[in-house]
């Protein structure tokens, strides 16, 4: 308990130092803690890393915290349960985290991890080296039609400069924008269409849309906010499916290692059809999701909560009626780790809950620990999932 109180105090003092509100007495306490040993100093320097601060600040500004904390606790069985599920669902739309809370979460999680990992050498056990599994970040690789590549990050100005240097006045026909495991990226196409790419995804698009249509290809997951242009319909091709867009917002989940493509309409209107099949179109209305079977080239439609499907864009993973195999596949792409199930029966366990997208993987482990019945054991960059032995 004393250690937890110290962690909270130090986290708070660092936060106050960051915003310039620390008193002289508090600064002395912080300095004394730093001078206690080299591990405390290492933790302090890590927390004060300006690049990390800038990255987390940008992420917090882009994050829309829809799902309230009490809803997450209810789903995980933590604390009191709400009596009316519909009330919890309606609470999805309000913000629950203030700027100060975001800062404390960032620093608190980082401090907790560092203190648990950086130990005096005489207390370390001869185990597999502990690897920090952190959430993804803004990063992508742009491959131009001329074969040149540009590594992109969160700095828009540097991205623009890097692209200008490799193109050097050459005509560029098509671009391939890819995000690695542990990456995400937003791009604005020349017509004003905005595309958000999730981890381990690829978008192929022309530098300029010529002719009487706009056509792109996507693999992985992407959220589209398509600019309206009645004279130039917008097409998205993915895994044998073609989506025709009429000026709208929708999400496409089309990973190569999954048999089904999930297309979810948020607003507007879209139609779907097989790329190499009959010409009949399946129309979607907002709140509907099409499940396209790649092998059969056929689709079915169901009602969904679009806030849940697109929650990855809002800084949180929301899982409803998904088993652990599906959940781990999603988390492994974002946190960039490999995984295996010690017991395949565990993989079929259905889970409902919310997980912060920008939290450390240590937070994910704690959430599952509180859930009960499931263990996540890290071995380097591999996570082994097993069931907790019954007492």
């Amino acid at each position: 308990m004393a250690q937890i109180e110290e962690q909270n105090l130090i986290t708070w003092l660092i936060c106050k130092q960051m915003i310039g509100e620390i008193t002289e007495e508090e600064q002395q306490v912080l300095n004394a803690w730093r001078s206690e040993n080299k591990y405390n100093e290492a933790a302090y320097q890590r927390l004060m890393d300006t690049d990390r601060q800038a990255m987390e600040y940008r992420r917090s500004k882009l994050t829309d915290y829809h799902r309230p904390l009490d809803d997450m606790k209810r789903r995980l069985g933590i604390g009191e349960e709400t009596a009316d599920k519909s009330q919890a669902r309606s609470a999805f739309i309000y913000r629950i985290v203030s700027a100060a809370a975001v800062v404390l979460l960032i620093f608190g999680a980082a401090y907790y991890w560092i203190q648990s990992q950086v130990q005096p050498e005489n207390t370390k056990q001869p185990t597999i080296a502990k690897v920090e599994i952190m959430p993804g970040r803004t990063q992508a690789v742009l491959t131009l039609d001329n074969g040149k590549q540009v590594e992109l990050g969160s700095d828009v100005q540097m991205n623009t400069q890097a692209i200008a240097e490799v193109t050097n006045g050459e005509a560029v026909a098509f671009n391939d924008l890819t995000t690695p495991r542990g990456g995400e990226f937003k791009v604005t196409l020349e017509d004003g269409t905005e595309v958000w790419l999730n981890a381990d995804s690829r978008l192929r698009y022309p530098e300029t849309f010529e002719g009487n249509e706009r056509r792109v290809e996507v693999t992985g997951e992407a959220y589209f906010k398509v600019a309206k242009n009645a004279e130039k319909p917008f097409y998205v091709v993915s895994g044998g499916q073609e989506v025709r867009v009429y000026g709208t917002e929708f999400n496409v989940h089309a990973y190569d290692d999954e048999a089904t493509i999930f297309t979810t309409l948020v607003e507007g209107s879209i139609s779907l059809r097989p790329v190499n099949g009959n010409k009949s179109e399946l129309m979607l209305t907002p709140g509907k999701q099409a499940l396209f079977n790649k092998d059969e080239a056929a689709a079915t439609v169901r009602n969904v909560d679009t806030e849940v499907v697109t929650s990855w864009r809002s800084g949180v993973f929301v899982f409803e009626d998904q088993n652990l195999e599906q959940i781990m596949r999603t988390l492994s792409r974002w946190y960039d780790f490999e995984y295996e199930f010690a017991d395949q029966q565990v993989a079929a366990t259905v889970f409902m809950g919310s997980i912060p997208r920008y939290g450390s993987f240590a937070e994910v482990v704690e959430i599952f620990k509180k859930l009960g019945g499931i263990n996540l054991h890290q071995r380097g960059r591999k996570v082994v999932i097993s069931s907790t032995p019954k007492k």
Side-chain angles (χ1 to χ4, degrees):
M1 181 65 68
Q3 184 181 16
I4 295 176
E5 291 177 353
E6 182 189 37
Q7 291 172 357
N8 292 338
L9 172 62
I10 298 303
T11 300
W12 179 247
L13 292 181
I14 292 177
C15 182
K16 292 190 71 174
Q17 185 182 52
M18 286 293 301
I19 62 177
E21 296 293 335
I22 192 169
T23 66
E24 182 176 348
E25 182 179 357
E26 290 171 334
Q27 186 67 62
Q28 291 176 355
V29 173
L30 179 58
N31 291 342
W33 172 82
R34 290 174 57 188
S35 63
E36 283 181 4
N37 56 62
K38 63 180 181 181
Y39 306 104
N40 287 355
E41 179 63 22
Y44 173 81
Q45 293 298 334
R46 183 179 182 85
L47 293 175
M48 296 298 292
D49 186 299
T50 56
D51 290 338
R52 178 179 289 264
Q53 294 167 18
M55 178 184 70
E56 298 295 353
Y57 175 77
R58 284 191 294 269
R59 284 177 175 167
S60 68
K61 294 294 286 184
L62 291 173
T63 298
D64 180 14
Y65 291 90
H66 291 293
R67 185 70 56 130
L69 184 59
D70 56 353
D71 181 42
M72 181 178 73
K73 289 183 176 181
R74 178 185 61 79
R75 289 175 174 276
L76 297 178
I78 306 170
E80 297 182 357
E81 293 190 353
T82 56
D84 190 341
K85 184 176 181 180
S86 63
Q87 292 178 356
R89 186 175 283 277
S90 65
F92 193 100
I93 61 174
Y94 72 78
R95 296 177 182 271
I96 63 164
V97 181
S98 65
V102 172
V103 172
L104 287 175
L105 176 63
I106 294 169
F107 290 113
Y111 176 79
Y112 174 82
W113 183 89
I114 292 167
Q115 289 298 87
S116 64
Q117 304 303 318
V118 183
Q119 307 174 34
E121 295 182 2
N122 59 2
T123 66
K124 291 184 178 181
Q125 301 297 320
T127 58
I128 298 176
K130 190 75 171 181
V131 176
E132 181 181 14
I133 297 180
M134 294 300 292
R137 58 188 176 88
T138 302
Q139 59 174 327
V141 174
L142 181 65
T143 303
L144 305 178
D145 196 61
N146 56 22
K148 295 181 179 179
Q149 292 188 329
V150 188
E151 292 188 3
L152 306 175
S154 59
D155 192 311
V156 177
Q157 184 175 356
M158 291 183 63
N159 291 344
T160 303
Q161 180 179 351
I163 294 173
E165 290 176 354
V166 296
T167 54
N168 194 25
E170 299 180 33
V172 178
F174 277 87
N175 295 333
D176 277 330
L177 183 67
T178 58
T179 54
R181 292 168 63 89
E184 65 179 355
F185 203 82
K186 176 190 174 185
V187 61
T188 301
L189 308 184
E190 64 93 14
D191 67 333
T193 293
E194 297 175 286
V195 186
W196 288 260
L197 282 182
N198 205 345
D200 196 17
S201 301
R202 169 181 172 268
L203 175 70
R204 180 171 173 78
Y205 64 96
E207 183 71 12
T208 57
F209 291 110
E210 299 179 352
N212 58 1
E213 67 176 26
R214 297 168 290 169
R215 185 175 293 270
V216 301
E217 299 177 17
V218 66
T219 302
E221 186 165 28
Y223 185 92
F224 288 85
K225 186 176 182 180
V226 178
K228 294 183 179 180
N229 186 338
E231 297 180 356
K232 270 193 175 185
F234 196 99
Y235 294 92
V236 178
V237 178
S238 56
Q241 171 187 276
E242 179 183 88
V243 178
R244 177 168 176 158
V245 185
Y246 300 90
T248 184
E249 295 188 32
F250 65 101
N251 193 86
V252 175
H253 182 104
Y255 283 98
D256 286 336
D257 59 353
E258 297 182 18
T260 303
I261 300 174
F262 302 88
T263 305
T264 307
L265 182 60
V266 176
E267 63 178 60
S269 178
I270 62 175
S271 65
L272 302 88
R273 66 179 181 182
V275 172
N276 298 316
N278 58 52
K279 299 300 182 180
S280 62
E281 294 185 336
L282 176 65
M283 298 295 298
L284 285 189
T285 54
K288 302 289 186 180
Q289 181 182 75
L291 291 75
F292 181 84
N293 185 292
K294 296 179 185 177
D295 294 333
E296 299 176 2
T300 57
V301 178
R302 66 182 180 184
N303 296 318
V304 295
D305 184 341
T306 59
E307 298 258 16
V308 171
V309 176
T310 63
S311 62
W312 64 272
R313 279 191 57 237
S314 303
V316 63
F317 291 110
V318 179
F319 301 110
E320 290 196 348
D321 296 323
Q322 293 189 40
N323 61 42
L324 280 178
E325 175 66 50
Q326 296 169 312
I327 293 171
M328 285 301 154
R329 186 186 300 135
T330 297
L331 295 179
S332 68
R333 291 181 183 129
W334 179 239
Y335 286 94
D336 189 17
F337 64 83
E338 301 298 325
Y339 67 92
E340 69 175 31
F341 286 93
D343 181 355
Q344 282 302 315
Q345 290 184 342
V346 177
T349 303
V350 175
F351 173 83
M352 294 182 66
S354 306
I355 295 176
R357 181 173 168 87
Y358 296 112
S360 69
F361 190 69
E363 293 177 66
V364 176
V365 173
E366 286 301 311
I367 288 175
F368 279 102
K369 184 183 296 184
K370 287 182 172 63
L371 175 66
I374 301 170
N375 280 333
L376 273 64
H377 180 67
Q378 183 183 341
R379 298 175 181 173
R381 294 203 70 83
K382 189 171 188 177
V383 176
V384 179
I385 305 102
S386 61
S387 58
T388 303
K390 295 182 179 180
K391 296 182 180 181

